[in-house]
Amino acid sequence: MHHSTRRVNVVLPALQRSGPVPGRGARVVATRAAQAPSSVGTASRTVGLVTAQLLARHLLRARDLADARYAEPLTVADMAGAAGLSRAHFSREFKRAFGESPHQYLLTRRLERAAALLQVTDWSVADICFAVGAGSVGSFTASFSRMYGRPPVAYRRLWPPAARFVRVPRCVAMAYARPQNRTFREEIATAGS
Amino acid sequence: MIRIANVQFWVHDQDEALRFYTKTLGWEVRADVTIEAWNFRWLAVGPAGQDGVGLVLMPVPGPPMLDAESSAALAELVAKGDGGTLFLETDDCQASYDELSERGVAFNDPPTAQPYGIDTSFRDPSGNNIRLTQLLEFDPARGNGLSGT
C-alpha cells in the first residue's frame, strides 16, 4: 500500500474503522492501479485519486444518514461515525465534498422537510417542528422565516391544495427543494449537535 | 414508436457492480461482451420479467476517452451520489424491502408513506441512487414523508 500522499495517510485508518465495506479499499485500489498504471500518472497518484473516490463514498453514507434520520436527534458526531471519520476531519471533508458543513446540511434538510410538510399536510407548525427533529418551535419558526423569507403559515398559503400536486418522488424533492443557507447564524434545529 | 432500450450508470468496478445487481438484487445479465481491442466490456443487467429495458453498467472511462483528471472527478462525483437515480416500481414496497433486505441490500430508509405511495431507497456499491416506489392514488393524508410512521 502506498503512503506517499497525505490523503492516503489520512483516509486509510478511516476505511479500516468503517464497518460496511471491509477490504474494499485495498481491492479497488489494486484493480484501478492494474487497469491504468501509466495513463493516470504515477502509481501513487492513482492511489491518491482512487482514495478520494472512496472517501467520497464514505461521506455519502453520512449524508444518506442525515437524509434518512433527520427526524431523530441526530448529531454531526453520528454522521461522522457513519463515515468512519473523526468529527473534525469529517466536517472538513464533508464541506469540501458537498460545499457546506454537515451541521448546515442537517439544518437545511430539516427545513426542507418542514416546507414539504407545510405543503402536503394540514399539521400545526409545532407538530411539523418536532416531526423534522427541530427542538424548539420558537427557534424553528425564526430559522424557517429567515430561510424562506416568511413564517411557516404564510409559506403554506403560497401553495395550492395538496391534492393538486404532481407525483414528484421524495428523493427529487429532497435534492432540489433544500434551501440555500443565507446566514451562518443558524444555531437551532440541530438538536444535540 | 420510440422506446427506451437501455439506461446507464457509471460504476467504479464492473465485477463488483455485476455481483450486486445479479447476486444481491437478483437481476439477469442482459449482455456481457468484452472487446479486447478496445479494452471495453459492454455489461447490461435488468430485472426478470422486463426484457425490454436494460441497465448498462459502464466503467468510469480513463484516457483517451476522459483525461485522468476528469476521470477521477467523475469517479468521485459518482461516489458522492451525483451519478443519477434509477426509479424502480414495485407492486408491494414492503414485500420487496423484506426480500431485498434478506438478500443483503442495505436500504437508506424503511418503506415510507408518501403522498404518491410508499417508497424506499438504496444505493449500488458505487453510490448510484436507486428508488423503489409502490405507486398509490395521491393522498396527502398518507404522505407525511417521515420515516417509521
Side-chain angles (χ1 to χ4, degrees), chain A residues 64 68 70 97 117 167 170, chain B residues 80 108-109 116 123 136 144-145:
Chain A
D64 282 344
Y70 57 86
L117 290 174
R167 289 171 169 173
R170 184 171 70 144
Chain B
K80 283 164 61 173
N108 287 334
D109 40 20
Y116 51 80
R123 294 188 187 277
L136 297 169
N144 58 38

Side-chain angles (χ1 to χ4, degrees), chain A residues 7 42 49 69 74 92 98 107 112 118 124 140 156 169:
Chain A
R7 183 166 284 167
T42 66
L49 293 171
R69 293 176 48 192
L74 195 67
R92 195 164 56 244
F98 299 118
L107 170 67
E112 178 274 327
L118 287 164
S124 72
F140 164 75
R156 170 176 272 159

Side-chain angles (χ1 to χ4, degrees), chain A residues 22-142:
Chain A
R24 180 176 292 169
R27 184 164 48 76
V28 174
V29 169
T31 303
R32 294 282 295 185
Q35 281 172 348
S38 59
S39 54
V40 180
T42 66
S44 62
R45 175 141 181 262
T46 303
V47 171
L49 293 171
V50 173
T51 305
Q53 164 200 312
L54 287 168
L55 173 61
R57 186 69 182 86
H58 284 271
L59 293 169
L60 181 59
R61 289 181 215 285
R63 207 186 70 181
D64 282 344
L65 182 73
D67 286 345
R69 293 176 48 192
Y70 57 86
E72 302 170 27
L74 195 67
T75 65
V76 173
D78 295 328
M79 294 172 68
L85 299 171
S86 74
R87 180 170 166 177
H89 180 49
F90 166 71
S91 292
R92 195 164 56 244
E93 292 296 338
F94 188 98
K95 183 162 188 176
R96 186 191 61 79
F98 299 118
E100 60 194 325
S101 72
H103 176 92
Q104 291 297 318
Y105 188 86
L106 191 52
L107 170 67
T108 51
R109 167 60 62 229
R110 283 171 169 153
L111 292 176
E112 178 274 327
R113 283 290 87 196
L117 290 174
L118 287 164
Q119 292 171 38
V120 300
T121 72
D122 58 1
W123 297 8
S124 72
V125 171
D127 285 348
I128 288 175
C129 164
F130 297 122
V132 301
S136 134
V137 177
S139 53
F140 164 75
T141 300

Side-chain angles (χ1 to χ4, degrees), chain B residues 27-95:
Chain B
W27 287 11
E28 301 170 342
V29 178
R30 296 284 160 76
D32 189 353
V33 180
T34 298
I35 302 173
E36 302 281 355
W38 300 351
N39 190 25
F40 175 79
R41 180 183 182 191
W42 174 256
L43 179 62
V45 296
Q50 190 183 23
D51 293 339
V53 182
L55 173 66
V56 179
L57 305 171
M58 196 82 86
V60 174
M65 253 189 79
L66 272 186
D67 63 277
E69 193 179 333
S70 300
S71 177
L74 176 56
E76 192 174 350
L77 278 173
V78 171
K80 283 164 61 173
D82 294 322
T85 298
L86 181 65
F87 298 90
L88 302 177
E89 274 183 33
T90 173
D91 296 328
D92 186 335
C93 189
Q94 184 66 52

